[in-house]
Amino acid sequence: MRFSISGKVMVIYGSIFIAIIFLTFGLSYYGTVGRLEQDLKNTHLALLKQIDDKIEITFRTTEKDLLNLSQQVEYVYFMYDSYDDPSQKYANFFALSNKLKTIVSTNEQLSSVFVYSDASKDMMTDKSFLQRSDSADNWLAGYIDMEGYSKWISTHKVWDGDKEHNAVTHIRPYPLISSPGYRKGLVAVNITEDELFRIMGDVYDGGQQDGHTFIIDGSGGIVTHDDKSRLYTDMTDEPYIKRILGGNGNGQFTVKSGGAEQSVFYRTSAYTGWKIVSVVPQSQLYQPLESLRKLMIAIASLMVVMALTALFFVNRRTFKPLDRLAGKLSGSLRHVKAGQTGSLGYLETAFDQMFTDREQLEKRVRDSKPALKWRMVMDMLTGYRTDYASVSRQLEFIGIRLLPEMFVVCTAEFDKDGGIGPKDETLYAYALCNVAEEVINMENAGIAVDLGASSAAIIFSFAEGDEEQNHLRAFAAVEQILDIMRRQFGLLVTAGVGRCYRDMSDIPRSYDESQKALQYRMVIGSHSVISVLDLIGSDNQDYYRIIKMTDRIVEALRQTEYGKLNEFVAELFREAVGGGLSPELLRQLSYELVMKSLQGIAATGIDTEETLAGLGNLHERIGRCSGWKDLEDIVLAALEQMARKIEDKRMQRGSHKAIEKMVAYIQEHYGQSEFSLDRLADKFELSPTYISKLFKEHMERNFIDYLIEIRINASKELLLDKNRKVNDVAEAVGYTNTRSFLRAFKKYTGMTPSEYRDSAIASQASPE
């Protein structure tokens, strides 16, 4: 049977169209329905991961609380049952009880805290005290010889002295790293089963319509369940539970239970070893896909009918002239070449469209980088991204430069009383973020984003220094940012600064603290920098007071001032012994001073590992000391050895004329409040980055640290005039913010300006 050209075209293109439609349908079906089916499974596993992450965060918070509690003096006395008299014992009990209540009140997830002393056999909670002979409820004593250094107990009945709870318990021994037979006691925190279930329910945002989500321990016992009647039951009689307990990590499988197909999802917690299980009926899991399947089949059928109908009418009218032309041409030159030419034309068009789409996609990615940057920073501020290693490449891709540790967050808000409109508000926020990033990246790293509502968030990260020193650096940088915004834009900005934390996971804490500090602008006033340290008092215990004295020792070491070094070390040990520190705390103080000194001299280019090796087995030598004088001699000898290494290093380095001129210029102009690294760079026609590098190489410190030190030393001379006010002294040495001057002065001298003045005047008045 012979076909005309139009007939052949219709058959060929009809077959191609139908094949394309069915192929498109198949690919779309498996690419959409199949992908959605896999996405549904991945979503359920992701929900279990969120539950696991939230529970782990909650549990790790309890870990930090236990570690902090183990360092409290009252806790140590209770564990050793070592008191001079009954009054001291009761006073210690009262103080320890208050600390337990504080832990429970500040952590809404905790229901109670228990401490048990194996020396006295007593147990104390935040609500009651149980003596060894008073109650049979001293259940904690049974875990004194438990294996390992911590233990999680799944849901059990706990009486805290007030009422009985279904609770999950975390137990740690004291000392924290001690084996059975060497332990002095135990501490346990309890989280109610209801709280654990609430954490799990929050992830589902209202809960599942059908199915169950629950947690079991390694033996199949219920930890928490939405069906409370299942608590304290063993689920190993369920076949799918045995399969879950036999598996590791995460998984999903289908079982038949209760006459219906059930999808079982499970995840093994790497932290507790518990299994988080979600059982969902198949009908509920795939219900969203049924309507999509039907819709796609209907669309495919309609496309076939429409394609054949359109092909019939269009083809019959389009290719009829070819039938007439075919009779005039030879049989070898009929429609074949024309059909091939048409196919190549369509292919060329398709490739052109692909390249066009690719260029448009690249443009959209470039245009979306600011939004990605904002999203990334907001995720860090809200705690959604807490691991630096997992986000470092994303940060690099969108142009965010952050160092892996030492983070400070500042929240800045500018005054809108001048009638700033929405458009100007956006422009000022953009300018504030640009100024902040320029100032930060001169010596450190960081990022700033617009939060809306006339505010911005600024994240600092530092490559060196301790938490307190970096907090001070951030505070000084924010003051410089505010000064630039006032001078260049006439804009008054108020900022709150949070604490410095070492890990990225603590960025939300610093952010919350900065917002809390910013709220005090109504008390302190606009155009000021408010630190959270101004709002919360420091710990007054002797050890924390004495450890602050090590800062000036490290500074004397860096300056190789042997006289001050001997004087400060002797004073430190006199204070420690006079304060009644225990031998263990004296050893710890000595070791921490040496380690802090090693960190302090690292900036000079000295190899700290080689220096530590040259000191011998320092930890063992300190541990063998029987008297505090021996400790003082060992520490002083180690510090003097470090000082000699610093002197040798400086002799090898030589001098630098540019730095000498800069130092002279700083000595002359340090009293000007607007003095900054930018001004120094303009004066000597060098880049700020290069000047910062020169300071680190030849002055062994950052520019801002050197400027603060110059100002503090100058203020000491001015304070000798007892008729001069502290505010005037602060202004004379370049501080427009008196609180900033007070904080810096105490950081570098260990005293307030008033205390220093009284001490210096008394020393001058005393006879020789």
Side-chain angles (χ1 to χ4, degrees):
M1 183 178 178
R2 298 181 64 182
F3 290 95
S4 64
I5 293 178
S6 60
K8 290 181 179 180
V9 169
M10 187 171 65
V11 171
I12 293 172
Y13 278 96
S15 301
I16 293 174
F17 284 167
I18 293 174
I20 290 175
I21 290 172
F22 278 102
L23 180 61
T24 303
F25 172 75
L27 293 175
S28 300
Y29 182 85
Y30 288 107
T32 303
V33 177
R35 179 63 180 273
L36 287 175
E37 183 176 338
Q38 185 61 41
D39 286 347
L40 286 172
K41 294 178 182 179
N42 292 339
T43 298
H44 279 77
L45 291 174
L47 289 173
L48 297 186
K49 183 179 184 302
Q50 288 187 34
I51 293 173
D52 186 18
D53 291 343
K54 293 189 71 172
I55 291 176
E56 182 174 346
I57 290 172
T58 301
F59 287 173
R60 288 197 182 278
T61 300
T62 65
E63 288 272 9
K64 293 180 181 178
D65 292 334
L66 294 184
L67 292 174
N68 292 334
L69 180 62
S70 66
Q71 299 175 5
Q72 304 298 317
V73 175
E74 295 86 354
Y75 179 81
V76 177
Y77 283 156
F78 179 83
M79 288 299 179
Y80 282 92
D81 193 33
S82 175
Y83 308 101
D84 295 334
D85 51 54
S87 63
Q88 184 188 11
K89 178 176 182 179
Y90 294 136
N92 190 76
F93 280 10
F94 179 75
L96 180 57
S97 175
N98 285 338
K99 291 186 181 295
L100 297 181
K101 291 176 181 177
T102 300
I103 291 175
V104 174
S105 64
T106 55
N107 294 270
E108 61 180 13
Q109 294 90 353
L110 303 185
S111 63
S112 57
V113 180
F114 286 62
V115 291
Y116 165 72
S117 170
D118 196 48
S120 64
K121 310 300 182 184
D122 294 337
M123 185 166 70
M124 178 181 290
T125 77
D126 57 296
K127 296 184 178 68
S128 64
F129 171 71
L130 304 175
Q131 288 187 330
R132 58 193 303 178
S133 59
D134 288 347
S135 173
D137 293 324
N138 198 339
W139 55 273
L140 188 56
Y143 294 95
I144 192 69
D145 293 324
M146 67 181 183
E147 295 295 329
Y149 301 128
S150 66
K151 185 177 184 66
W152 279 99
I153 305 175
S154 57
T155 304
H156 63 122
K157 296 288 186 182
V158 175
W159 183 78
D160 62 1
D162 184 16
K163 58 184 178 181
E164 193 172 55
H165 302 277
N166 294 324
V168 176
T169 302
H170 183 203
I171 302 177
R172 292 293 299 264
Y174 181 82
L176 295 177
I177 303 178
S178 57
S179 303
Y182 297 94
R183 295 169 178 164
K184 303 302 180 182
L186 302 170
V187 58
V189 294
N190 299 302
I191 302 174
T192 63
E193 184 270 339
D194 289 338
E195 177 65 21
L196 197 61
F197 182 74
R198 183 193 64 76
I199 294 173
M200 186 170 65
D202 288 345
V203 173
Y204 286 97
D205 193 17
Q208 297 171 288
Q209 294 179 353
D210 295 311
H212 301 281
T213 300
F214 53 90
I215 301 176
I216 58 175
D217 58 20
S219 61
I222 293 291
V223 178
T224 184
H225 201 293
D226 54 0
D227 183 1
K228 302 305 179 183
S229 63
R230 301 297 298 270
L231 294 178
Y232 302 106
T233 61
D234 188 353
M235 292 193 69
T236 53
D237 55 340
E238 298 283 353
Y240 66 88
I241 294 297
K242 294 181 180 178
R243 183 171 175 180
I244 292 173
L245 294 176
N248 294 321
N250 315 322
Q252 183 271 334
F253 56 87
T254 303
V255 297
K256 190 170 184 179
S257 177
E261 294 289 334
Q262 307 279 343
S263 288
V264 179
F265 302 87
Y266 69 92
R267 179 179 179 84
T268 304
S269 173
Y271 181 69
T272 61
W274 294 343
K275 308 282 186 177
I276 307 172
V277 184
S278 177
V279 181
V280 185
Q282 288 274 50
S283 58
Q284 178 192 349
L285 181 63
Y286 298 120
Q287 182 179 5
L289 302 180
E290 292 299 326
S291 58
L292 183 59
R293 287 193 183 103
K294 295 177 181 178
L295 177 62
M296 293 190 68
I297 292 173
I299 292 174
S301 301
L302 180 61
M303 288 177 65
V304 170
V305 174
M306 293 178 62
L308 293 177
T309 302
L311 180 63
F312 178 80
F313 286 102
V314 174
N315 185 65
R316 295 291 293 180
R317 295 185 179 183
T318 303
F319 289 93
K320 273 294 182 180
L322 292 178
D323 288 332
R324 294 190 295 268
L325 182 63
K328 301 177 182 180
L329 299 174
S330 63
S332 60
L333 296 175
R334 291 194 293 178
H335 65 282
V336 177
K337 292 184 178 181
Q340 291 175 347
T341 303
S343 299
L344 291 174
Y346 286 122
L347 185 61
E348 181 181 2
T349 302
F351 276 110
D352 288 341
Q353 187 62 44
M354 290 173 58
F355 285 116
T356 302
D357 292 343
R358 181 177 181 274
E359 292 175 356
Q360 293 177 350
L361 179 60
E362 290 178 348
K363 182 178 182 301
R364 284 196 293 268
V365 170
R366 289 193 300 270
D367 294 342
S368 64
K369 276 191 176 183
L372 293 175
K373 170 183 173 182
W374 183 88
R375 181 70 269 169
M376 179 69 70
V377 174
M378 293 306 298
D379 286 346
M380 289 188 291
L381 293 176
T382 55
Y384 184 73
R385 298 180 186 270
T386 58
D387 183 19
Y388 181 85
S390 65
V391 302
S392 58
R393 289 191 176 181
Q394 301 175 37
L395 294 174
E396 182 180 356
F397 171 75
I398 58 181
I400 297 179
R401 178 174 173 263
L402 283 180
L403 301 172
E405 59 180 9
M406 291 296 180
F407 300 94
V408 178
V409 180
C410 164
T411 302
E413 182 174 336
F414 51 83
D415 193 351
K416 297 189 293 185
D417 293 341
I420 299 176
K423 293 184 178 179
D424 293 335
E425 181 179 317
T426 303
L427 292 175
Y428 280 130
Y430 178 78
L432 175 60
C433 293
N434 284 345
V435 169
E437 291 181 358
E438 182 178 354
V439 171
I440 294 170
N441 290 304
M442 286 182 183
E443 293 190 299
N444 303 293
I447 191 69
V449 296
D450 181 9
L451 297 177
S454 306
S455 63
I458 306 170
I459 301 177
F460 296 81
S461 62
F462 302 91
E464 59 186 15
D466 58 17
E467 286 87 343
E468 186 175 358
Q469 186 178 21
N470 287 329
H471 177 86
L472 193 61
R473 290 172 179 169
F475 195 98
V478 173
E479 286 187 322
Q480 185 179 351
I481 294 168
L482 267 59
D483 184 63
I484 293 174
M485 293 300 295
R486 179 183 60 81
R487 288 188 288 104
Q488 295 188 4
F489 301 95
L491 196 66
L492 299 182
V493 181
T494 308
V497 182
R499 289 186 177 89
C500 176
Y501 292 97
R502 187 171 295 275
D503 297 325
M504 178 177 281
S505 60
D506 289 320
I507 285 180
R509 294 179 61 187
S510 185
Y511 176 54
D512 291 340
E513 290 169 353
S514 70
Q515 291 183 314
K516 180 180 178 181
L518 185 60
Q519 294 175 358
Y520 279 75
R521 64 184 180 277
M522 63 180 297
V523 178
I524 299 174
S526 300
H527 194 61
S528 59
V529 184
I530 308 167
S531 170
V532 70
L533 300 179
D534 294 332
L535 312 179
I536 304 175
S538 61
D539 194 341
N540 289 323
Q541 296 184 26
D542 284 342
Y543 184 79
Y544 298 105
R545 176 181 60 81
I546 294 171
I547 201 69
K548 291 288 186 182
M549 299 173 62
T550 59
D551 292 340
R552 57 178 183 172
I553 296 177
V554 174
E555 184 61 26
L557 171 64
R558 293 178 61 179
Q559 301 298 329
T560 61
E561 297 177 344
Y562 289 94
K564 288 186 177 180
L565 194 63
N566 281 269
E567 177 187 348
F568 292 159
V569 170
E571 184 178 351
L572 175 73
F573 277 91
R574 285 199 304 272
E575 287 288 329
V577 174
L581 294 187
S582 66
E584 288 301 322
L585 287 178
L586 282 173
R587 292 187 179 97
Q588 180 179 340
L589 175 65
S590 302
Y591 194 71
E592 286 190 12
L593 173 57
V594 176
M595 293 299 104
K596 193 171 183 180
S597 299
L598 284 171
Q599 294 175 359
I601 69 172
T604 65
I606 293 176
D607 188 340
T608 55
E609 293 185 2
E610 179 183 345
T611 303
L612 184 60
L615 298 176
N617 194 336
L618 187 65
H619 192 277
E620 182 180 345
R621 290 165 59 200
I622 290 176
R624 289 199 307 263
C625 289
S626 58
W628 66 269
K629 272 293 186 182
D630 296 334
L631 280 176
E632 181 181 349
D633 294 340
I634 290 175
V635 170
L636 188 58
L639 297 182
E640 289 178 345
Q641 184 174 339
M642 295 180 202
R644 288 191 291 271
K645 283 184 173 291
I646 294 174
E647 288 181 335
D648 294 342
K649 190 73 175 179
R650 287 173 180 167
M651 292 177 64
Q652 296 172 7
R653 183 180 297 142
S655 61
H656 193 282
K657 292 184 178 180
I659 283 293
E660 292 174 357
K661 293 179 180 179
M662 290 179 193
V663 168
Y665 185 78
I666 293 171
Q667 291 282 359
E668 184 178 352
H669 297 89
Y670 68 85
Q672 298 174 0
S673 60
E674 67 276 7
F675 192 84
S676 65
L677 185 60
D678 281 338
R679 178 173 173 180
L680 196 63
D682 292 340
K683 171 66 179 177
F684 289 92
E685 298 180 351
L686 298 171
S687 70
T689 304
Y690 180 69
I691 293 179
S692 177
K693 179 181 178 182
L694 285 180
F695 261 84
K696 287 184 178 180
E697 289 180 353
H698 293 272
M699 301 304 293
E700 301 170 357
R701 69 199 72 191
N702 289 331
F703 164 76
I704 188 63
D705 293 336
Y706 181 76
L707 179 61
I708 292 173
E709 181 181 344
I710 291 295
R711 288 174 169 175
I712 295 305
N713 289 335
S715 67
K716 290 180 181 179
E717 297 294 330
L718 298 177
L719 285 169
L720 296 178
D721 183 359
K722 61 182 179 179
N723 295 322
R724 197 161 191 170
K725 295 181 179 179
V726 173
N727 292 347
D728 296 337
V729 172
E731 184 176 354
V733 296
Y735 283 91
T736 58
N737 188 319
T738 305
R739 291 191 311 279
S740 177
F741 169 68
L742 294 175
R743 186 181 301 107
F745 192 92
K746 188 160 187 180
K747 162 71 178 175
Y748 277 81
T749 65
M751 295 182 287
T752 66
S754 298
E755 292 171 347
Y756 177 84
R757 170 183 282 167
D758 294 341
S759 174
I761 292 176
S763 176
Q764 290 178 350
S766 62
E768 295 294 333

